[in-house]
Amino acid sequence: MENRLYVILTITNKCNLHCRYCYEDKKNLDEMSYSVGKRIIVEAMSDTNYDSVEFDFHGGEPFLNFPLIKKLCEWAWHEYNKRIIYFFTTTNGTVLTAEMKEWLESNKSRFCAALSLDGTPKMNYENRGVVIPSANLDFFLKLWPEQPIKLTISKETISSIAEGICFVHATGFHISANLAYGIDWEAELVDTYKRELDKLVEYYCLHREIKPCSIFEKTLIPVLKEEMIIRHCGAGNKMRAYDTEGRCYPCQMFVPNALDKDKWEEISKLDLKNNDSYFGDGTCKGCMIHNICPTCYGNNYLERGSIGKRDKRLCLFVVAEKIALSKYKVKTLQEKSFEDFDEMDYLELKAAKRILDYYKTERL
């Protein structure tokens, strides 16, 4: 397996949108300079502990600093032409110019851009205040047909999330979907989410030709492990994030456009790379789905002052996701022929049935 280092460069704090769930509440007009960006790339490429490096241009809206993207990529492609290097960004898709599109098309095999799209035009407008032109949707799909769009579920769109996901599938995109972090999820919305997830289980079972969104693509096997998995992402380990001034952080959630400077000064004293104890939440011990339950360590610290302390408002929503995923696994795996059924299928089915049996007897 390729050992890859992930490097996030915040190349601009500017953004043309005001998404209702955005965690970057300290936006300003700061931009990264070419000299800072070049230094970061040189440092990362000098690290011999990794087989490859992926550079993720982050914002704000990254394409508001397109000249830097272009200049850094073209320099790095020339300087490191014999190395494995990837360039990536996520964009709201609203500021692309003819010049940007021409450059992206010319470099589509070595630069990838993921589009943020929160469902139907109405849903995207509700969350982000904008409708993405259909021509831009077609452009992203043409250049990177296998790249999932990023779909964020908010309180305002959760009641129609099945419709939104089906709409995006109909346009031809794959989907990476997740609940928004850092918002006040109300328990009253859990039943709504269950209803929408059940619609999606039915939809995916009827349309086997469609690659399910990320909620239904995850593995359940880790619930079979007795030991508690503590670290769920590469923050502070295989991931580095830099602010516009070139200062290094564990991930983008710790960068100053999201986290107060005084809070960062506290956390910078911790050894996040070598000490996993910071990442655990003792109150989750014994939870059936802990080993497959996502969390955001930066948001944990931002909201609760502890990297490991999870947002318990999300618990019932994540349980609903894993129950829906288990239903989908059972339905699809039980239909496989004996000849096609392998060890991983067996473990997935075992985990799915364990989850469903558990939550039949446990009150949600």
mmCIF file of all heavy atoms in Angstrom, residues 28-44:
data_model
loop_
_atom_site.group_PDB
_atom_site.id
_atom_site.type_symbol
_atom_site.label_atom_id
_atom_site.label_comp_id
_atom_site.label_asym_id
_atom_site.label_seq_id
_atom_site.Cartn_x
_atom_site.Cartn_y
_atom_site.Cartn_z
ATOM 1 N N ASN A 28 -10.686 36.291 6.340
ATOM 2 C CA ASN A 28 -10.142 37.618 6.067
ATOM 3 C C ASN A 28 -9.630 37.628 4.637
ATOM 4 O O ASN A 28 -9.936 36.715 3.859
ATOM 5 C CB ASN A 28 -9.050 37.974 7.073
ATOM 6 C CG ASN A 28 -7.975 36.895 7.158
ATOM 7 O OD1 ASN A 28 -7.441 36.448 6.140
ATOM 8 N ND2 ASN A 28 -7.660 36.450 8.378
ATOM 9 N N LEU A 29 -8.863 38.613 4.260
ATOM 10 C CA LEU A 29 -8.393 38.747 2.885
ATOM 11 C C LEU A 29 -6.980 38.211 2.681
ATOM 12 O O LEU A 29 -6.385 38.408 1.617
ATOM 13 C CB LEU A 29 -8.447 40.225 2.467
ATOM 14 C CG LEU A 29 -9.831 40.875 2.542
ATOM 15 C CD1 LEU A 29 -9.756 42.327 2.077
ATOM 16 C CD2 LEU A 29 -10.848 40.103 1.711
ATOM 17 N N ASP A 30 -6.443 37.512 3.684
ATOM 18 C CA ASP A 30 -5.070 37.013 3.595
ATOM 19 C C ASP A 30 -4.929 35.956 2.507
ATOM 20 O O ASP A 30 -5.828 35.121 2.305
ATOM 21 C CB ASP A 30 -4.622 36.419 4.923
ATOM 22 C CG ASP A 30 -4.490 37.467 6.017
ATOM 23 O OD1 ASP A 30 -4.491 38.670 5.675
ATOM 24 O OD2 ASP A 30 -4.386 37.079 7.190
ATOM 25 N N GLU A 31 -3.780 35.980 1.815
ATOM 26 C CA GLU A 31 -3.456 34.969 0.810
ATOM 27 C C GLU A 31 -2.026 34.482 1.008
ATOM 28 O O GLU A 31 -1.176 35.211 1.515
ATOM 29 C CB GLU A 31 -3.604 35.538 -0.604
ATOM 30 C CG GLU A 31 -5.029 35.842 -1.007
ATOM 31 C CD GLU A 31 -5.143 36.236 -2.468
ATOM 32 O OE1 GLU A 31 -4.146 36.745 -3.031
ATOM 33 O OE2 GLU A 31 -6.216 36.025 -3.042
ATOM 34 N N MET A 32 -1.782 33.240 0.612
ATOM 35 C CA MET A 32 -0.434 32.692 0.674
ATOM 36 C C MET A 32 0.400 33.242 -0.477
ATOM 37 O O MET A 32 -0.106 33.418 -1.588
ATOM 38 C CB MET A 32 -0.487 31.165 0.617
ATOM 39 C CG MET A 32 0.878 30.481 0.717
ATOM 40 S SD MET A 32 0.751 28.666 0.743
ATOM 41 C CE MET A 32 0.122 28.381 2.402
ATOM 42 N N SER A 33 1.665 33.488 -0.212
ATOM 43 C CA SER A 33 2.580 33.958 -1.258
ATOM 44 C C SER A 33 3.227 32.768 -1.964
ATOM 45 O O SER A 33 3.240 31.637 -1.454
ATOM 46 C CB SER A 33 3.665 34.842 -0.652
ATOM 47 O OG SER A 33 4.529 34.075 0.184
ATOM 48 N N TYR A 34 3.791 33.024 -3.125
ATOM 49 C CA TYR A 34 4.480 31.977 -3.877
ATOM 50 C C TYR A 34 5.679 31.433 -3.097
ATOM 51 O O TYR A 34 5.907 30.223 -3.056
ATOM 52 C CB TYR A 34 4.933 32.527 -5.225
ATOM 53 C CG TYR A 34 5.786 31.572 -6.024
ATOM 54 C CD1 TYR A 34 5.263 30.376 -6.515
ATOM 55 C CD2 TYR A 34 7.125 31.863 -6.282
ATOM 56 C CE1 TYR A 34 6.048 29.502 -7.249
ATOM 57 C CE2 TYR A 34 7.917 30.992 -7.012
ATOM 58 C CZ TYR A 34 7.377 29.818 -7.497
ATOM 59 O OH TYR A 34 8.158 28.944 -8.219
ATOM 60 N N SER A 35 6.414 32.309 -2.450
ATOM 61 C CA SER A 35 7.612 31.869 -1.713
ATOM 62 C C SER A 35 7.242 30.944 -0.564
ATOM 63 O O SER A 35 7.934 29.944 -0.316
ATOM 64 C CB SER A 35 8.400 33.079 -1.194
ATOM 65 O OG SER A 35 7.624 33.853 -0.304
ATOM 66 N N VAL A 36 6.149 31.242 0.136
ATOM 67 C CA VAL A 36 5.699 30.383 1.236
ATOM 68 C C VAL A 36 5.243 29.037 0.696
ATOM 69 O O VAL A 36 5.603 27.971 1.217
ATOM 70 C CB VAL A 36 4.579 31.062 2.043
ATOM 71 C CG1 VAL A 36 3.923 30.065 3.005
ATOM 72 C CG2 VAL A 36 5.124 32.252 2.821
ATOM 73 N N GLY A 37 4.424 29.052 -0.358
ATOM 74 C CA GLY A 37 3.938 27.805 -0.942
ATOM 75 C C GLY A 37 5.071 26.934 -1.452
ATOM 76 O O GLY A 37 5.074 25.707 -1.258
ATOM 77 N N LYS A 38 6.051 27.551 -2.080
ATOM 78 C CA LYS A 38 7.193 26.800 -2.612
ATOM 79 C C LYS A 38 7.991 26.162 -1.476
ATOM 80 O O LYS A 38 8.400 24.992 -1.571
ATOM 81 C CB LYS A 38 8.074 27.740 -3.433
ATOM 82 C CG LYS A 38 9.239 27.070 -4.118
ATOM 83 C CD LYS A 38 10.016 28.074 -4.964
ATOM 84 C CE LYS A 38 11.232 27.441 -5.607
ATOM 85 N NZ LYS A 38 11.989 28.426 -6.436
ATOM 86 N N ARG A 39 8.187 26.905 -0.389
ATOM 87 C CA ARG A 39 8.919 26.356 0.754
ATOM 88 C C ARG A 39 8.211 25.137 1.324
ATOM 89 O O ARG A 39 8.856 24.129 1.664
ATOM 90 C CB ARG A 39 9.059 27.422 1.841
ATOM 91 C CG ARG A 39 9.644 26.872 3.153
ATOM 92 C CD ARG A 39 9.791 27.928 4.219
ATOM 93 N NE ARG A 39 8.535 28.511 4.648
ATOM 94 C CZ ARG A 39 7.684 27.926 5.491
ATOM 95 N NH1 ARG A 39 7.936 26.709 5.969
ATOM 96 N NH2 ARG A 39 6.571 28.542 5.851
ATOM 97 N N ILE A 40 6.891 25.207 1.434
ATOM 98 C CA ILE A 40 6.113 24.084 1.974
ATOM 99 C C ILE A 40 6.271 22.851 1.090
ATOM 100 O O ILE A 40 6.463 21.727 1.581
ATOM 101 C CB ILE A 40 4.632 24.483 2.105
ATOM 102 C CG1 ILE A 40 4.470 25.556 3.176
ATOM 103 C CG2 ILE A 40 3.772 23.264 2.439
ATOM 104 C CD1 ILE A 40 3.102 26.220 3.190
ATOM 105 N N ILE A 41 6.204 23.025 -0.214
ATOM 106 C CA ILE A 41 6.345 21.902 -1.136
ATOM 107 C C ILE A 41 7.746 21.301 -1.038
ATOM 108 O O ILE A 41 7.909 20.075 -0.994
ATOM 109 C CB ILE A 41 6.034 22.349 -2.580
ATOM 110 C CG1 ILE A 41 4.543 22.693 -2.712
ATOM 111 C CG2 ILE A 41 6.408 21.251 -3.583
ATOM 112 C CD1 ILE A 41 4.150 23.255 -4.064
ATOM 113 N N VAL A 42 8.759 22.144 -0.983
ATOM 114 C CA VAL A 42 10.143 21.653 -0.870
ATOM 115 C C VAL A 42 10.317 20.828 0.402
ATOM 116 O O VAL A 42 10.913 19.738 0.386
ATOM 117 C CB VAL A 42 11.145 22.826 -0.898
ATOM 118 C CG1 VAL A 42 12.540 22.350 -0.522
ATOM 119 C CG2 VAL A 42 11.165 23.482 -2.264
ATOM 120 N N GLU A 43 9.786 21.332 1.514
ATOM 121 C CA GLU A 43 9.912 20.610 2.785
ATOM 122 C C GLU A 43 9.218 19.251 2.714
ATOM 123 O O GLU A 43 9.753 18.238 3.169
ATOM 124 C CB GLU A 43 9.304 21.445 3.913
ATOM 125 C CG GLU A 43 10.133 22.664 4.294
ATOM 126 C CD GLU A 43 9.459 23.510 5.360
ATOM 127 O OE1 GLU A 43 8.333 23.155 5.776
ATOM 128 O OE2 GLU A 43 10.052 24.523 5.772
ATOM 129 N N ALA A 44 8.014 19.229 2.139
ATOM 130 C CA ALA A 44 7.269 17.970 2.051
ATOM 131 C C ALA A 44 7.968 16.976 1.129
ATOM 132 O O ALA A 44 8.069 15.779 1.444
ATOM 133 C CB ALA A 44 5.845 18.240 1.569
#
